[in-house]
Amino acid sequence: MSQRFFLHPKNIFTALDDIDNTPPSYTLDRAQSLRRIFWTLACVSVSLLIIHYLKYFSALQSFLAFISTFQGRPEDDVLSQLQKHEYFHLLRYCWWTFWHVIGYVLLPFLVIRYQLKTSFTQMGWQFNDTAKHWKGYVLLISPILLFVFLVSFRPDFLQHYPFYKLAGRSFFDLIAWEILYLIQFLCLEFFFRGFMINALRPAVGANAVWIMCVPYLMIHFPKLWPEATGAILFGLFLGILALRSRSIWGGFLVHAGIAVSMDIASLLRQGLLPQQFWP
């Protein structure tokens, strides 16, 4: 069936039925399914909890205060020294990205290896059939890029993106920020469209896609409401394509294209696109 057919909202159940009727859907017995679901969703819960509470600047402040106290220095000494550095704000996003790597990749890796006892690389890391489904990814990203163009005229969009407010200071700032930003998206894509759906599919079949969509929507709640609303269908279609392509790379490229275009659109609208490589 064509990509257009599978991405048509009227045919979502047909696409999911096709996934259900293809191995490895429902290949575990009841006891195995119970344990597979338990370890997967326990990992999802712990990972999201860790990321939510440790990725913010307040957690970094507490960590730096601990280092200062441990060294017998005033509590705010290390933080004060770092705040004088011109890349302190970028350091804050290094901390932010670090916890996404821990929560979205490292913890699932431990569960995959020691509890699910399956291959980490086969959880979507291989390119597999991504090229065969390129039309599906293009159909998915095209209207979103048009939407990005339209909302780029809104003041709230310009205030929100890019997250790193010094991205327009230099090309180095912009490139360094985008690398950190895209690493976060790669980790996110693996967590939701690699780990979750592939770990759950042998136990619950195509329902793994629906289960994945719930926490995926919820991580978008702090963002602008149009982005959070779009995450519902976006997550669903990416989940279907990830299972059919057996890869996370198409979804990552879609995310990367959208994320970079939003930042560039905002910088262009504000006249803040960098003019020099170094600050």
Side-chain angles (χ1 to χ4, degrees):
M1 297 182 184
S2 68
Q3 297 303 325
R4 189 171 185 177
F5 176 84
F6 271 105
L7 290 178
H8 196 292
K10 292 182 179 179
N11 299 306
I12 288 175
F13 285 107
T14 303
L16 295 173
D17 285 341
D18 183 74
I19 293 169
D20 261 350
N21 295 325
T22 306
S25 296
Y26 301 110
T27 53
L28 302 179
D29 62 31
R30 184 173 179 178
Q32 291 172 326
S33 296
L34 175 64
R35 285 157 182 76
R36 174 70 67 112
I37 293 169
F38 171 82
W39 284 111
T40 302
L41 295 186
C43 179
V44 169
S45 300
V46 172
S47 294
L48 293 176
L49 187 70
I50 287 174
I51 292 171
H52 181 75
Y53 286 103
L54 293 180
K55 69 180 181 180
Y56 293 112
F57 179 55
S58 57
L60 175 59
Q61 285 179 302
S62 299
F63 176 70
L64 295 176
F66 169 77
I67 292 178
S68 294
T69 304
F70 182 77
Q71 294 178 344
R73 299 155 64 182
E75 189 175 87
D76 63 344
D77 190 55
V78 174
L79 177 61
S80 299
Q81 293 298 320
L82 288 175
Q83 285 177 326
K84 298 175 183 178
H85 198 280
E86 60 180 329
Y87 287 113
F88 173 70
H89 292 288
L90 194 61
L91 173 64
R92 293 172 57 170
Y93 281 104
C94 290
W95 174 268
W96 178 77
T97 300
F98 169 77
W99 284 110
H100 283 91
V101 174
I102 297 296
Y104 282 158
V105 179
L106 179 59
L107 293 184
F109 168 78
L110 296 175
V111 170
I112 291 167
R113 179 165 183 177
Y114 296 107
Q115 293 300 330
L116 306 187
K117 299 186 187 303
T118 188
S119 172
F120 178 72
T121 58
Q122 290 181 3
M123 289 282 181
W125 286 110
Q126 297 171 332
F127 203 71
N128 288 325
D129 297 330
T130 302
K132 288 175 56 178
H133 296 272
W134 70 270
K135 291 182 180 179
Y137 291 110
V138 171
L139 284 170
L140 190 58
I141 193 175
S142 298
I144 298 176
L145 290 178
L146 175 60
F147 179 74
V148 169
F149 172 75
L150 295 175
V151 299
S152 67
F153 292 93
R154 293 172 56 93
D156 54 351
F157 177 88
L158 301 180
Q159 293 170 6
H160 201 70
Y161 298 102
F163 296 155
Y164 176 49
K165 299 309 177 185
L166 296 178
R169 182 173 62 173
S170 69
F171 279 109
F172 176 80
D173 283 280
L174 179 59
I175 293 170
W177 156 244
E178 296 300 342
I179 289 173
L180 292 173
Y181 199 22
L182 295 184
I183 288 174
Q184 177 264 161
F185 275 118
L186 179 59
C187 296
L188 178 147
E189 197 61 31
F190 165 72
F191 185 74
F192 289 101
R193 258 74 65 177
F195 170 59
M196 276 196 73
I197 60 175
N198 284 293
L200 290 172
R201 183 182 178 183
V204 299
N207 289 305
V209 177
W210 296 113
I211 294 170
M212 173 273 295
C213 284
V214 176
Y216 184 66
L217 163 65
M218 295 175 72
I219 66 167
H220 287 79
F221 284 161
K223 300 189 177 184
L224 301 176
W225 71 264
E227 189 174 350
T229 303
I232 302 172
L233 286 178
F234 193 63
L236 177 61
F237 290 147
L238 279 181
I240 292 173
L241 284 168
L243 285 179
R244 291 185 57 76
S245 66
R246 297 176 295 119
S247 176
I248 65 170
W249 290 104
F252 166 71
L253 292 174
V254 168
H255 260 123
I258 295 170
V260 173
S261 68
M262 292 172 79
D263 284 353
I264 297 300
S266 179
L267 291 173
L268 283 172
R269 293 290 182 201
Q270 298 178 77
L272 295 177
L273 202 64
Q275 303 297 315
Q276 56 192 17
F277 187 80
W278 295 107

Short mmCIF file of all heavy atoms in Angstrom, two decimals, residues 253-276:
data_model
loop_
_atom_site.label_atom_id
_atom_site.label_comp_id
_atom_site.label_asym_id
_atom_site.label_seq_id
_atom_site.Cartn_x
_atom_site.Cartn_y
_atom_site.Cartn_z
N LEU A 253 14.93 12.78 11.25
CA LEU A 253 15.15 13.78 10.21
C LEU A 253 13.97 14.75 10.10
O LEU A 253 14.15 15.95 9.84
CB LEU A 253 15.41 13.09 8.87
CG LEU A 253 16.74 12.32 8.78
CD1 LEU A 253 16.83 11.55 7.47
CD2 LEU A 253 17.92 13.27 8.93
N VAL A 254 12.75 14.23 10.30
CA VAL A 254 11.57 15.11 10.31
C VAL A 254 11.67 16.08 11.47
O VAL A 254 11.48 17.29 11.31
CB VAL A 254 10.28 14.27 10.40
CG1 VAL A 254 9.08 15.17 10.70
CG2 VAL A 254 10.04 13.50 9.11
N HIS A 255 11.97 15.57 12.65
CA HIS A 255 12.12 16.43 13.82
C HIS A 255 13.22 17.46 13.62
O HIS A 255 13.07 18.64 13.98
CB HIS A 255 12.45 15.58 15.05
CG HIS A 255 11.27 15.30 15.92
ND1 HIS A 255 10.85 14.04 16.23
CD2 HIS A 255 10.41 16.14 16.55
CE1 HIS A 255 9.80 14.10 17.01
NE2 HIS A 255 9.50 15.36 17.23
N ALA A 256 14.35 17.01 13.07
CA ALA A 256 15.48 17.91 12.86
C ALA A 256 15.10 19.02 11.89
O ALA A 256 15.43 20.20 12.13
CB ALA A 256 16.67 17.13 12.32
N GLY A 257 14.42 18.67 10.80
CA GLY A 257 14.01 19.67 9.82
C GLY A 257 13.08 20.70 10.41
O GLY A 257 13.22 21.91 10.16
N ILE A 258 12.13 20.25 11.22
CA ILE A 258 11.17 21.17 11.83
C ILE A 258 11.86 22.06 12.87
O ILE A 258 11.67 23.28 12.89
CB ILE A 258 10.02 20.39 12.48
CG1 ILE A 258 9.21 19.65 11.41
CG2 ILE A 258 9.11 21.31 13.28
CD1 ILE A 258 8.21 18.67 11.96
N ALA A 259 12.67 21.45 13.73
CA ALA A 259 13.31 22.19 14.81
C ALA A 259 14.24 23.28 14.28
O ALA A 259 14.19 24.43 14.72
CB ALA A 259 14.09 21.23 15.71
N VAL A 260 15.08 22.91 13.32
CA VAL A 260 16.03 23.89 12.77
C VAL A 260 15.28 24.98 12.01
O VAL A 260 15.62 26.16 12.12
CB VAL A 260 17.05 23.19 11.86
CG1 VAL A 260 17.93 24.22 11.16
CG2 VAL A 260 17.92 22.23 12.66
N SER A 261 14.24 24.61 11.27
CA SER A 261 13.48 25.61 10.51
C SER A 261 12.78 26.59 11.44
O SER A 261 12.69 27.80 11.12
CB SER A 261 12.46 24.92 9.60
OG SER A 261 11.43 24.30 10.34
N MET A 262 12.30 26.12 12.58
CA MET A 262 11.65 27.03 13.54
C MET A 262 12.64 28.03 14.10
O MET A 262 12.33 29.23 14.21
CB MET A 262 11.00 26.21 14.66
CG MET A 262 9.82 25.39 14.21
SD MET A 262 9.20 24.25 15.47
CE MET A 262 8.23 25.35 16.49
N ASP A 263 13.83 27.55 14.44
CA ASP A 263 14.85 28.47 14.98
C ASP A 263 15.30 29.48 13.92
O ASP A 263 15.41 30.68 14.21
CB ASP A 263 16.06 27.67 15.47
CG ASP A 263 15.79 26.98 16.79
OD1 ASP A 263 14.73 27.22 17.39
OD2 ASP A 263 16.66 26.19 17.23
N ILE A 264 15.55 28.99 12.72
CA ILE A 264 16.01 29.89 11.65
C ILE A 264 14.92 30.90 11.30
O ILE A 264 15.20 32.09 11.09
CB ILE A 264 16.41 29.08 10.40
CG1 ILE A 264 17.61 28.16 10.72
CG2 ILE A 264 16.77 30.02 9.25
CD1 ILE A 264 18.85 28.88 11.19
N ALA A 265 13.66 30.45 11.23
CA ALA A 265 12.55 31.35 10.91
C ALA A 265 12.44 32.45 11.95
O ALA A 265 12.25 33.63 11.62
CB ALA A 265 11.24 30.57 10.83
N SER A 266 12.58 32.09 13.23
CA SER A 266 12.50 33.09 14.30
C SER A 266 13.64 34.09 14.21
O SER A 266 13.44 35.30 14.34
CB SER A 266 12.51 32.38 15.66
OG SER A 266 12.46 33.33 16.71
N LEU A 267 14.86 33.59 13.99
CA LEU A 267 16.01 34.48 13.88
C LEU A 267 15.89 35.41 12.69
O LEU A 267 16.22 36.60 12.77
CB LEU A 267 17.30 33.67 13.79
CG LEU A 267 17.71 32.89 15.05
CD1 LEU A 267 18.90 31.99 14.77
CD2 LEU A 267 18.03 33.85 16.20
N LEU A 268 15.40 34.89 11.56
CA LEU A 268 15.22 35.72 10.37
C LEU A 268 14.17 36.80 10.61
O LEU A 268 14.38 37.97 10.24
CB LEU A 268 14.80 34.84 9.19
CG LEU A 268 15.90 34.02 8.52
CD1 LEU A 268 15.30 33.05 7.50
CD2 LEU A 268 16.92 34.94 7.84
N ARG A 269 13.05 36.45 11.23
CA ARG A 269 11.99 37.43 11.50
C ARG A 269 12.48 38.54 12.42
O ARG A 269 12.06 39.69 12.30
CB ARG A 269 10.79 36.74 12.13
CG ARG A 269 10.06 35.76 11.23
CD ARG A 269 9.32 36.47 10.12
NE ARG A 269 8.60 35.51 9.30
CZ ARG A 269 8.19 35.74 8.06
NH1 ARG A 269 8.46 36.92 7.50
NH2 ARG A 269 7.54 34.83 7.39
N GLN A 270 13.37 38.18 13.34
CA GLN A 270 13.88 39.17 14.30
C GLN A 270 15.12 39.89 13.80
O GLN A 270 15.62 40.79 14.47
CB GLN A 270 14.20 38.48 15.63
CG GLN A 270 13.01 37.84 16.31
CD GLN A 270 13.41 37.14 17.59
OE1 GLN A 270 13.63 37.76 18.63
NE2 GLN A 270 13.51 35.81 17.53
N GLY A 271 15.62 39.49 12.62
CA GLY A 271 16.84 40.08 12.10
C GLY A 271 18.06 39.74 12.92
O GLY A 271 19.00 40.54 13.02
N LEU A 272 18.06 38.53 13.51
CA LEU A 272 19.13 38.14 14.42
C LEU A 272 19.99 37.01 13.87
O LEU A 272 20.78 36.41 14.62
CB LEU A 272 18.54 37.70 15.77
CG LEU A 272 17.82 38.79 16.57
CD1 LEU A 272 17.22 38.20 17.84
CD2 LEU A 272 18.77 39.93 16.91
N LEU A 273 19.87 36.70 12.59
CA LEU A 273 20.71 35.65 12.03
C LEU A 273 22.18 36.06 12.16
O LEU A 273 22.54 37.21 11.86
CB LEU A 273 20.37 35.42 10.56
CG LEU A 273 20.76 34.04 9.98
CD1 LEU A 273 19.97 32.93 10.69
CD2 LEU A 273 20.52 33.99 8.51
N PRO A 274 23.06 35.18 12.64
CA PRO A 274 24.47 35.56 12.90
C PRO A 274 25.17 36.14 11.68
O PRO A 274 24.92 35.75 10.54
CB PRO A 274 25.12 34.23 13.32
CG PRO A 274 23.99 33.39 13.80
CD PRO A 274 22.79 33.77 12.96
N GLN A 275 26.08 37.07 11.95
CA GLN A 275 26.88 37.70 10.92
C GLN A 275 28.36 37.34 11.02
O GLN A 275 29.14 37.70 10.15
CB GLN A 275 26.72 39.22 11.00
CG GLN A 275 25.28 39.71 10.89
CD GLN A 275 24.68 39.37 9.54
OE1 GLN A 275 25.31 39.57 8.49
NE2 GLN A 275 23.43 38.87 9.55
N GLN A 276 28.74 36.65 12.09
CA GLN A 276 30.14 36.29 12.32
C GLN A 276 30.21 34.91 12.94
O GLN A 276 29.24 34.43 13.52
CB GLN A 276 30.80 37.32 13.26
CG GLN A 276 30.06 37.46 14.58
CD GLN A 276 30.53 38.66 15.38
OE1 GLN A 276 31.17 39.55 14.84
NE2 GLN A 276 30.26 38.66 16.67
#
